[in-house]
Amino acid sequence: MTKMFGTNGVRGVVNQDMNVQKALQIGKAIGAVTPGVTAIATDTRYTCDMLKMAVSAGLMSVGCDVIDLGSLPTPALQYYVRTHSVVGGVMITASHNPPQFNGIKVIANDGTEASPQQEEAIEAKYDEEIAPVSWKDTGHTSRYVGAADDYVDAIVSKLDVEAIREANLTVVLDCTNGAAFYTSPLLLRKLGVRAITLNGNPQGEFPGHPSEPTEDNLQDLIKMVKATGASLGIAHDGDADRCVFVDGEGNYVPGDKTLAILARSIVKENGGGIVVTPVATSSVIDETVSSVGGKVVRTAVGSPKVARRMIDDGGIFGGEENGGLIFADHQFCRDGGMAIGRMLESIIKIGPLKEQVDSLVPFYTVKKKLVCPDDLKESVLNFLDENTANIRKDTTDGLKLIFTNGWVLARASGTEPIFRVYAESRDKAVAEELASKYEAMVDEYLSSF
Ligand code: MG
């Protein structure tokens, strides 16, 4: 069987490993597995129309109707799917990847990302001959232009709009030339927040900066926050499911700290509750959530795993350290728009972002990555497991070694020939020492081949 779906759908460089033929066959396979009306949307990449039309043609050829929502953030498509009687959705996006990439992400009918079982079923169909239906049973495409407004209105309805309006805030919003353009400026306008916008034109080659919202890529945002005295800087990735922040003094706030701050604010407001995050996330979340009477549940890496665990365990908030934040009172998927709303509330009700970041217990994380052929990944893990016999372990994803003064996570990448070693401690020297020690162990083992 072809293994197409990675952690976040099928992706590749367009007209090399992602092309019209592949998109057409994926469309047919999706239609064969989940027949019925399917909603489709795209981010702002140049190649989106081509792939959208190919997937749509595939769907229609097997008898499915398509509703074209246009260009939108992924969570806006997910909101549409959850609130309408469609069998699912398809998002054309490569998220934070460079502009030559594009991809196809399948959304289940509850608005969450497709389960591994659904993806496996689509992959199995993909490899088969899928018979087209008779000409008179082929599907049609209709357009719906209101999905951005619906998504924004749903977010606004969950927020304390009056308090946000009264605070009279100015923020700088970096749309990254991506799908955020269609919703985040509108959201801020409806909340009465003055937004100074950067890269606020949808442009598929991402001329402003690469679409991954890293500190390096957000230097213009940082400068603009400092120059304008804004209370907050906001940035999204290409499809605006992720959201990262810059504090009022122009400091980039790492995603694990944002996660901890919003978790504290949400758990406090709920008087307790479960927060879900993968094993790789900093321990700052445990310290912060337990300080307000909440509980942290850990999952394997990947936002669909976090979302599904939140549904199963009744989690009120969850997310990843890369700015992917999931709010149970809105929807079970990464939600860049809702992240803005909750961050604004947190600033107004708790205090400036800088103060909130400074109040967190400091942890130091060191991340190493080693080149590792796919066929050796499992034996590296086994080797580490055998050579760490008396250490406390967590095997939720890879191997997490837990020490009294820190932890090490050894984990193979699911998408690249890479093995990662993360170490964390409250003591910087300990974090560095742990990372170097286990990196050296993996390196030595790999060089024996
Ligand atoms: Mg994304």
Side-chain angles (χ1 to χ4, degrees):
M1 189 197 292
T2 329
K3 177 68 189 154
M4 290 191 300
F5 287 91
T7 336
N8 264 300
V10 189
R11 280 188 206 165
V13 174
V14 174
N15 281 356
Q16 290 179 29
D17 35 24
M18 169 57 77
N19 56 33
V20 165
Q21 290 76 5
K22 195 168 183 176
L24 181 79
Q25 183 68 5
I26 291 173
K28 285 167 133 183
I30 294 168
V33 170
T34 47
V37 183
T38 301
I40 194 163
T42 74
D43 69 16
T44 60
R45 287 162 198 274
Y46 277 160
T47 54
C48 279
D49 283 350
M50 180 182 90
L51 295 175
K52 176 176 77 178
M53 287 178 191
V55 172
S56 301
L59 282 161
M60 290 185 286
S61 76
V62 296
C64 298
D65 285 338
V66 175
I67 300 174
D68 180 358
L69 306 181
S71 250
L72 279 180
T74 300
L77 166 69
Q78 291 177 283
Y79 181 76
Y80 180 90
V81 169
R82 183 168 67 77
T83 53
H84 289 77
S85 52
V86 292
V87 293
V90 176
M91 184 72 195
I92 309 295
T93 180
S95 188
H96 62 274
N97 288 142
Q100 65 272 30
F101 282 77
N102 213 338
I104 297 168
K105 183 191 257 193
V106 181
I107 306 301
N109 73 338
D110 62 358
T112 63
E113 284 158 62
S115 64
Q117 294 80 353
Q118 192 179 344
E119 289 183 344
E120 275 162 26
I122 294 165
E123 287 192 16
K125 268 287 172 217
Y126 180 89
D127 287 335
E128 291 174 17
E129 277 284 325
I130 306 168
V133 296
S134 143
W135 66 269
K136 59 183 184 305
D137 295 324
T138 55
H140 297 271
T141 294
S142 57
R143 284 173 187 276
Y144 177 66
V145 294
D149 286 277
D150 297 347
Y151 168 69
V152 168
D153 289 345
I155 293 170
V156 170
S157 75
K158 300 276 168 20
L159 300 173
D160 189 344
V161 181
E162 209 169 309
I164 297 173
R165 274 185 184 284
E166 273 172 19
N168 211 11
L169 295 173
T170 296
V171 304
V172 184
L173 167 70
D174 187 342
C175 292
T176 313
N177 304 109
F181 161 81
Y182 296 97
T183 52
S184 291
L186 179 65
L187 171 65
L188 290 165
R189 175 153 63 82
K190 290 197 172 186
L191 292 172
V193 174
R194 179 180 172 228
I196 300 161
T197 310
L198 287 177
N199 302 310
N201 48 323
Q203 207 168 332
E205 81 277 38
F206 306 123
H209 58 76
S211 64
E212 179 150 33
T214 60
E215 182 169 4
D216 278 352
N217 290 340
L218 298 180
Q219 289 304 309
D220 289 343
L221 174 65
I222 287 167
K223 279 182 212 152
M224 189 66 108
V225 169
K226 286 181 183 166
T228 56
S231 305
L232 187 69
I234 302 165
H236 296 283
D237 65 335
D239 65 324
D241 57 347
R242 283 159 59 183
C243 189
V244 303
F245 299 97
V246 169
D247 73 24
E249 289 180 28
N251 304 296
Y252 178 83
V253 180
D256 54 356
K257 294 200 161 86
T258 301
L259 191 65
I261 284 164
L262 291 180
R264 177 164 61 189
S265 152
I266 291 165
V267 170
K268 217 172 174 176
E269 201 155 318
N270 281 269
I274 292 172
V275 172
V276 183
T277 194
V279 281
T281 304
S282 166
S283 300
V284 68
I285 186 118
D286 303 274
E287 296 280 338
T288 313
V289 167
S290 62
S291 75
V292 285
K295 190 188 156 204
V296 175
V297 171
R298 298 275 184 167
T299 65
V301 171
S303 74
K305 297 205 170 69
V306 175
R308 296 204 176 269
R309 189 65 180 270
M310 285 173 70
I311 297 170
D312 293 344
D313 288 13
I316 56 172
F317 177 62
E320 307 164 296
E321 57 183 340
N322 63 6
L325 303 162
I326 306 172
F327 304 86
D329 64 341
H330 189 220
Q331 51 181 354
F332 290 99
C333 62
R334 286 180 293 201
D335 198 333
M338 195 67 189
I340 293 178
R342 288 284 178 241
M343 180 55 84
L344 292 171
E345 283 186 338
S346 153
I347 287 173
I348 292 160
K349 292 181 179 174
I350 297 176
L353 182 53
K354 170 87 166 58
E355 274 175 25
Q356 292 198 58
V357 172
D358 289 346
S359 74
L360 298 171
V361 180
F363 278 90
Y364 298 92
T365 312
V366 180
K367 297 181 178 183
K368 308 267 189 189
K369 63 178 180 183
L370 297 99
V371 174
C372 173
D374 288 339
D375 57 349
L376 285 179
K377 284 173 173 172
E378 206 173 313
S379 63
V380 175
L381 267 184
N382 291 337
F383 168 79
L384 282 175
D385 192 24
E386 284 157 17
N387 287 280
T388 50
N390 296 316
I391 300 168
R392 191 154 77 91
K393 289 170 189 170
D394 176 344
T395 55
T396 304
D397 193 346
L399 183 67
K400 193 172 186 177
L401 305 169
I402 300 158
F403 305 94
T404 48
N405 58 352
W407 54 260
V408 172
L409 176 68
R411 190 181 160 267
S413 161
T415 50
E416 298 166 281
I418 278 172
F419 200 90
R420 300 180 199 280
V421 176
Y422 292 1
E424 187 178 80
S425 173
R426 281 193 202 184
D427 185 331
K428 200 175 175 182
V430 171
E432 277 162 5
E433 195 187 305
L434 284 172
S436 301
K437 181 179 170 185
Y438 288 92
E439 181 195 27
M441 264 175 89
V442 175
D443 195 32
E444 203 183 316
Y445 179 76
L446 284 170
S447 51
S448 70
F449 288 91

